Amino acid sequence: MPELPEAETIVRGLRPVVTGARIRRTRVQHEDVLESSAAGLARALKGLAIQDVSRRGKNVVLVMEGPAYLVVNLGMTGGLYPLAAGGRNPAVTHPAVRFYFEEGGQLVYNDARRFGRLRLLNGPDWEAWSRRLGPEPLSPAFTPDDLAAGLGASRTPVRNWLLDQRRVAGVGNIYASEALHRAGIDPRRPASSIGPEATRRLYRSVVAVLSEAIRARGTTIRDYRDATGDEGGFGPRLRAYGRDGEPCLTCGTPIRRVVFGNRSAFLCPTCQPHEESTGGSGA
């Protein structure tokens, strides 16, 4: 599933291409990706211009006139591709929604498995929806002290805590695995058992791995492509996720895959001991 770096990469690719474009009509080819009716979405968007493209957590957000906010959750296989008349365009194999522009060209939401969702929100609904998400981990609102307080109040496994979008917005299984490996923390440990030193390491690791993945244009495991149809470049830099059986790049111990909470996690048993010998108790 695309996470924060993949969504941010798509946003940066779309913003210079579609900002200012005005929607002439909307064609819904698969209504099951919509929160509303196809006819209702088409009526609401007709004639509106895209004022900006932004991101909230794992979601791409088209900021429309009004204001209105078209929130696109990419699910597992979703992508947004701008298509120009003529020239090189990315391959669109499973189009679900097409937005045709008055100026020519279109923006296509493509989704093979159709687990993604599009929802159109007005201003107050957008604010209410956004408040339900946690802070952006690359923003000043995400601080080491806030992370320590949040971890200290929960007994849930720390990996699951990081995946909870109400705690911190945008981190998924790939980057939780990577950040925990870098921080030397077993993903199964209760969040409240993470001491102050380990919490500081985790904070730095989350920020670092997300920032590096954005610079590499995200991680392609299977389906993810950026707005031009290209794969992300961070895959070869993964240290834990998907590397079960391969040697840890730090110590050489084989990476292990463990399943809990119905999700796989990847860890080095040597670098990520289940119990920490130093660092004290959580906040």
Side-chain angles (χ1 to χ4, degrees):
M1 174 183 292
E3 302 179 23
L4 186 156
E6 291 74 45
E8 181 65 26
T9 300
I10 290 171
V11 165
R12 295 182 184 188
L14 289 179
R15 184 179 289 131
V17 179
V18 304
T19 299
R22 191 172 298 277
I23 295 177
R24 175 170 58 87
R25 70 183 180 96
T26 300
R27 179 188 177 195
V28 177
Q29 296 175 250
H30 294 287
E31 195 166 356
D32 54 357
V33 301
L34 303 182
E35 291 284 325
S36 60
S37 70
L41 181 69
R43 280 196 306 270
L45 291 178
K46 184 177 176 59
L48 296 186
I50 300 173
Q51 295 185 321
D52 192 15
V53 185
S54 64
R55 180 190 55 75
R56 184 71 173 99
K58 302 176 184 180
N59 304 277
V60 176
V61 183
L62 302 181
V63 183
M64 315 297 297
E65 289 179 321
Y69 302 83
L70 183 61
V71 178
V72 181
N73 183 282
L74 301 168
M76 296 183 67
T77 59
L80 283 164
Y81 304 121
L83 304 183
R88 176 182 178 269
N89 285 318
V92 175
T93 56
H94 296 84
V97 184
R98 295 178 183 267
F99 305 97
Y100 294 89
F101 299 135
E102 290 184 356
E103 302 83 359
Q106 57 183 287
L107 176 65
V108 179
Y109 175 68
N110 187 77
D111 194 343
R113 299 184 67 179
R114 302 208 301 272
F115 290 159
R117 288 294 179 270
L118 282 67
R119 67 184 76 185
L120 185 64
L121 304 174
N122 60 27
D125 288 342
W126 157 259
E127 294 293 339
W129 176 84
S130 182
R131 282 195 299 269
R132 291 196 290 269
L133 297 180
E136 292 287 334
L138 298 181
S139 78
F142 183 65
T143 68
D145 288 344
D146 290 336
L147 177 61
L151 294 175
S154 175
R155 292 288 299 172
T156 193
V158 61
R159 191 282 307 269
N160 293 8
W161 192 95
L162 288 170
L163 298 187
D164 187 342
Q165 299 302 292
R166 298 168 299 178
R167 308 287 191 182
V168 56
V171 178
N173 208 22
I174 295 174
Y175 300 109
S177 291
E178 292 299 296
L180 289 165
H181 180 269
R182 293 187 183 202
I185 299 171
D186 188 302
R188 299 165 294 186
R189 285 182 56 187
S192 59
S193 75
I194 310 301
E197 181 181 344
T199 298
R200 288 191 289 271
R201 293 199 308 267
L202 180 58
Y203 174 83
R204 292 193 297 268
S205 296
V206 168
V207 171
V209 74
L210 293 175
S211 299
E212 291 172 23
I214 290 172
R215 289 195 292 272
R217 306 180 338 278
T219 302
T220 296
I221 303 297
R222 285 181 296 273
D223 301 287
Y224 162 72
R225 300 292 186 275
D226 67 15
T228 65
D230 292 332
E231 295 186 359
F234 194 70
R237 306 183 196 183
L238 295 173
R239 303 181 187 182
Y241 185 85
R243 297 189 66 247
D244 46 310
E246 299 179 28
C248 172
L249 299 178
T250 301
C251 72
T253 303
I255 296 292
R256 286 183 56 199
R257 172 180 174 267
V258 296
V259 179
F260 61 97
N262 296 319
R263 302 286 297 275
S264 295
F266 301 87
L267 63 100
C268 171
T270 300
C271 295
Q272 297 169 265
H274 193 57
E275 297 295 337
E276 190 177 50
S277 59
T278 60
S281 60

